[in-house]
Amino acid sequence: MGVFGPVVNQGARLETMTKQFDLPICMDEPTAEYAKMYLPESEGRIRRLARVRPKGMDTPMTVYGLLPQTDQFAWVTDEVVADYDKALDLVTEGNWAGAIEVLNKLPDEDGPKHFLLRNMAEFDNTPPASWDGAFSLANK
């Protein structure tokens, strides 16, 4: 007997996204909101990553990352997160040139930065005509 269904599929997609974002844990929005309310920052931090449409799913979702305490990912400062959020808003709005400018200022160690840059490069850094603010992911 096994486990199946949409929740399991989404969980599997989130697990795969950890590699794409180069982060230890990815989560959906409801989980991130819960963690923001109850997880002390001394134990972990929540970071918005992107709006994506996982492979095999029709509905876009906002993905968040759970970062360890500040002593482990110390280069992910509040300023880095704020700049990334700004870049992500620009990506979502379709201002990819502005987003690239902001992203290029972030540390090279930042996996989410590289996720956005890779996905925009697949479209020659220009949002497609059908852009709805979410990247469709090709990998499960």
Side-chain angles (χ1 to χ4, degrees), residues 45-68:
R45 300 171 289 152
I46 308 300
R47 179 181 181 187
R48 185 172 61 119
L49 301 175
R51 188 127 176 95
V52 300
R53 188 174 295 99
K55 182 172 177 125
M57 302 179 129
D58 296 326
T59 306
M61 64 185 286
T62 302
V63 179
Y64 292 78
L66 174 63
L67 301 174

Side-chain angles (χ1 to χ4, degrees), residues 10-115:
Q10 181 175 306
R13 300 306 184 272
L14 286 165
E15 189 277 329
T16 300
M17 285 182 223
T18 62
K19 295 172 189 77
Q20 295 175 26
F21 286 103
D22 193 23
L23 291 175
I25 297 174
C26 289
M27 64 184 80
D28 63 2
E29 192 162 15
T31 305
E33 291 303 320
Y34 185 86
K36 284 179 191 176
M37 289 189 308
Y38 297 106
L39 181 69
E41 194 170 311
S42 62
E43 293 181 27
R45 300 171 289 152
I46 308 300
R47 179 181 181 187
R48 185 172 61 119
L49 301 175
R51 188 127 176 95
V52 300
R53 188 174 295 99
K55 182 172 177 125
M57 302 179 129
D58 296 326
T59 306
M61 64 185 286
T62 302
V63 179
Y64 292 78
L66 174 63
L67 301 174
Q69 301 105 331
T70 53
D71 62 335
Q72 294 175 19
F73 283 74
W75 52 269
V76 183
T77 63
D78 289 343
E79 182 181 356
V80 167
V81 171
D83 287 344
Y84 182 85
D85 276 344
K86 179 180 176 182
L88 184 55
D89 287 340
L90 292 168
V91 168
T92 303
E93 295 164 8
N95 181 354
W96 289 10
I100 291 166
E101 187 177 320
V102 175
L103 289 168
N104 283 331
K105 296 176 184 175
L106 298 179
D108 281 336
E109 301 91 343
D110 193 47
K113 161 191 169 171
H114 294 289
F115 173 87

